[in-house]
Amino acid sequence: MAGPAREELLALAAIFCGPDEWEVLSLSDGTVCRILTKAEGLMDVDVPLELVFHLPVNYPSCLPGISVNSEHLTRAQCVAVKEKLLEQAENLLSEPMVHELVLWVQQNLRHILNQPEAGSGSGKCTFAASTTVDDGLWMTLLHLDHMRAKSKYIKTVEKWASDLRLMGRLMFMGKIILILLQGDRNNIKEYLILQKTCKVDVDSSGKKCKEKMISVLFETKVQTEHKRFLAFEVKEYSSLDELQKEFETTGLKKLFSEFVLGLVK
């Protein structure tokens, strides 16, 4: 990452110094950081926003990835805010822009929500075309340690997969929980940001919490021998053999041997 970008991260940490306002989520494949802020929405009410920026290694020479979440906005409204932020980012290309984008959304959220395309419904929404080069169909295998609020968690995963047009499987076998995703690589990255930053489960006291025990086991471009999934399905397997057959029929026998067998205790 270029010098100005590193300086920007230090400045952002100093600016957003309140409780939970700033967090670096990842330093692999660039930097992923999260900012919690508020912006004036409709009816002059402050709307809390969770903004996640994925800054690629060659940022700011290329656009950041952006994710927008808020419990006070529908998914369609979050997508509309994200698209407007990406449009604004194009005007700031080649210079550090995260703080400028945060200021911009604080000043313009109300206007974005007033536009018809932002909508107010909670139904499914269509994502705009990616702003980065199309890498084709990609596949990622994730491992979850546990699900306490299983029913709610499953519904959330299904909704994210639907919103992001991701196919695959949510698989349960005994205590093993796996998520196999196929789709656009940028949408998979968006899914991972949601998975790590949204409160999807509950802790031992029943309080809503974020997923801190997820691991990416494998990521690759889909090869000719791999089956293309036509939907996202939740499946339960009664035995390890049954789970293994699922992987074998999708052309992932080697993946099962290398990454899944080791999870069996």
Side-chain angles (χ1 to χ4, degrees), residues 35-96:
I35 294 172
L36 299 182
T37 188
K38 291 182 179 180
E40 185 180 306
L42 302 175
M43 308 295 292
D44 298 325
V45 175
D46 280 347
V47 175
L49 294 173
E50 180 182 68
L51 306 173
V52 178
F53 296 90
H54 176 216
L55 312 179
V57 176
N58 51 349
Y59 168 86
S61 298
C62 64
L63 293 177
I66 301 174
S67 175
V68 178
N69 291 290
S70 175
E71 293 183 355
H72 293 242
L73 301 178
T74 67
R75 187 67 190 147
Q77 288 173 325
C78 287
V79 171
V81 175
K82 170 188 169 181
E83 290 173 351
K84 293 299 182 183
L85 278 169
L86 286 171
E87 288 177 12
Q88 187 67 17
E90 290 178 357
N91 300 325
L92 302 170
L93 200 58
S94 80
E95 60 185 80

Side-chain angles (χ1 to χ4, degrees), residues 76-221:
Q77 288 173 325
C78 287
V79 171
V81 175
K82 170 188 169 181
E83 290 173 351
K84 293 299 182 183
L85 278 169
L86 286 171
E87 288 177 12
Q88 187 67 17
E90 290 178 357
N91 300 325
L92 302 170
L93 200 58
S94 80
E95 60 185 80
M97 65 182 78
V98 172
H99 189 222
E100 288 293 325
L101 293 174
V102 175
L103 291 175
W104 185 86
V105 78
Q106 288 174 336
Q107 296 165 3
N108 291 277
L109 178 65
R110 184 176 183 178
H111 304 299
I112 297 171
L113 298 180
N114 261 325
Q115 295 175 10
E117 60 266 27
S120 57
S122 57
K124 298 176 183 177
C125 52
T126 302
F127 276 68
S130 170
T131 56
T132 57
V133 176
D134 181 15
D135 283 331
L137 197 63
W138 277 72
M139 177 168 55
T140 296
L141 181 65
L142 311 174
H143 174 239
L144 296 177
D145 184 76
H146 62 270
M147 284 185 185
R148 285 194 173 95
K150 184 176 178 180
S151 192
K152 179 179 180 296
Y153 204 130
I154 289 173
K155 287 181 180 178
T156 301
V157 170
E158 287 180 314
K159 184 179 187 306
W160 288 342
S162 174
D163 286 348
L164 292 163
R165 302 195 300 276
L166 297 175
M167 309 303 171
R169 299 281 187 270
L170 170 53
M171 299 177 279
F172 297 91
M173 200 290 295
K175 293 184 178 181
I176 296 176
I177 306 171
L178 300 169
I179 301 176
L180 184 62
L181 298 172
Q182 273 187 3
D184 179 85
R185 192 180 191 188
N186 296 300
N187 286 358
I188 290 177
K189 287 182 178 180
E190 176 92 13
Y191 176 93
L192 287 171
I193 290 173
L194 290 170
Q195 181 82 63
K196 292 177 181 179
T197 60
C198 294
K199 293 181 178 180
V200 291
D201 207 1
V202 296
D203 60 20
S204 56
S205 64
K207 184 180 178 182
K208 289 182 179 180
C209 65
K210 296 171 185 174
E211 180 57 72
K212 295 182 179 179
M213 302 184 73
I214 183 173
S215 54
V216 180
L217 299 180
F218 184 77
E219 181 183 38
T220 185
K221 195 168 185 177

Side-chain angles (χ1 to χ4, degrees), residues 230-242:
L230 301 177
F232 185 85
E233 300 178 47
V234 179
K235 301 188 74 172
E236 303 223 14
Y237 305 86
S238 57
S239 67
L240 188 63
D241 286 342
E242 192 178 342

